């Protein structure tokens, strides 16, 4: 079973703000499990639990779907970075970053979180104490391979 992940850490201080106008977002069981396992890793280090932000999850899922459609695991697709996608959705953040994972059909969420925690750069995002929110999105390509995107953020204080 193969899994690949890429990382971009960014403690970006920007002036954007959380806003979401669409209908309620529903997480899939796998997305929820990745969220729960992320918080379990934070709990092991006595870090605060992340809150699931539906706006971040919508952005993450849309990116996962786009990666699956194009067969590419990249932070920048169609000329847009995760920060461009956050701003376009109206998410105003003080800090934000993204983890991406690709797994062959059959890769379990538990396997994926282990892979992320074994990677220094991905673990840094998961365990960054200043993040307060996350969003998780998942999509499968035609072969059944899984693309995950997980956004981490701390909204700008008003």
């Amino acid at each position: 079973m193969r899994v690949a992940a890429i990382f971009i850490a960014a403690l970006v201080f920007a002036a954007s703000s959380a806003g979401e106008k669409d209908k309620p977002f529903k997480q899939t069981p796998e997305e929820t499990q990745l969220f729960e396992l992320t918080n379990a890793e934070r709990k092991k280090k006595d870090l605060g639990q992340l809150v699931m932000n539906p706006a971040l999850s919508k952005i993450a899922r849309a990116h996962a779907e786009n990666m699956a459609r194009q067969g590419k695991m990249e932070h920048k697709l169609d000329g847009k970075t995760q920060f461009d996608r956050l701003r376009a959705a109206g998410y105003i953040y003080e800090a934000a970053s993204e983890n991406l994972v690709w797994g062959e059909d059959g890769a379990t969420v538990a396997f994926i979180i282990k892979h992320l925690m074994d990677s220094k750069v991905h673990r840094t995002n998961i365990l960054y104490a200043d993040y307060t929110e996350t969003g998780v999105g998942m999509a499968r390509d035609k072969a059944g391979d899984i693309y995950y995107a997980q956004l981490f953020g701390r909204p700008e204080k008003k």
Side-chain angles (χ1 to χ4, degrees), residues 4 23 27-29 33 43 46 63 67 73 79 93 99 113 127 130 137 142 150:
K23 60 183 177 180
Q27 298 290 156
T28 67
Q33 185 181 13
K43 186 175 182 176
D46 293 322
H63 188 57
M67 290 189 299
M73 186 181 66
Y93 56 89
N99 283 350
I113 195 73
L127 300 179
D130 286 349
K142 291 178 184 177
Q150 184 170 17

Side-chain angles (χ1 to χ4, degrees):
M1 182 178 322
R2 293 184 325 181
V3 172
I6 60 177
F7 156 84
I8 190 164
L11 302 178
V12 178
F13 296 90
S16 349
S17 147
E20 189 59 38
K21 300 172 188 163
D22 299 332
K23 60 183 177 180
F25 185 81
K26 182 161 173 52
Q27 298 290 156
T28 67
E30 288 175 310
E31 291 166 343
T32 299
Q33 185 181 13
L34 185 58
F35 166 70
E36 290 168 350
L37 290 174
T38 298
N39 270 334
E41 293 297 334
R42 290 175 64 87
K43 186 175 182 176
K44 290 177 190 176
K45 300 292 185 184
D46 293 322
L47 295 170
Q49 299 293 281
L50 297 172
V51 173
M52 180 67 81
N53 180 310
L56 291 179
S57 289
K58 276 185 153 181
I59 299 163
R61 185 175 301 153
H63 188 57
E65 289 170 346
N66 193 20
M67 290 189 299
R69 198 170 29 259
Q70 294 188 39
K72 298 177 183 176
M73 186 181 66
E74 298 179 13
H75 292 285
K76 186 174 184 177
L77 278 179
D78 305 322
K80 296 179 182 168
T81 68
Q82 68 269 29
F83 307 111
D84 297 325
R85 293 186 294 274
L86 288 167
R87 282 189 292 273
Y91 184 78
I92 299 176
Y93 56 89
E94 288 184 9
S97 64
E98 176 178 71
N99 283 350
L100 302 179
V101 179
W102 166 85
E104 287 184 327
D105 190 19
T108 66
V109 177
F111 181 79
I112 287 168
I113 195 73
K114 181 186 179 328
H115 177 76
L116 290 169
M117 291 305 292
D118 287 345
S119 163
K120 182 179 179 184
V121 292
H122 294 96
R123 184 177 55 250
T124 297
N125 276 347
I126 291 168
L127 300 179
Y128 185 60
D130 286 349
Y131 290 143
T132 59
E133 300 180 335
T134 192
V136 180
M138 180 223 124
R140 291 186 183 272
D141 66 13
K142 291 178 184 177
D145 294 348
I146 304 168
Y147 290 80
Y148 284 96
Q150 184 170 17
L151 290 164
F152 299 89
R154 182 179 70 239
E156 184 178 72
K157 294 177 181 151
K158 295 181 181 184

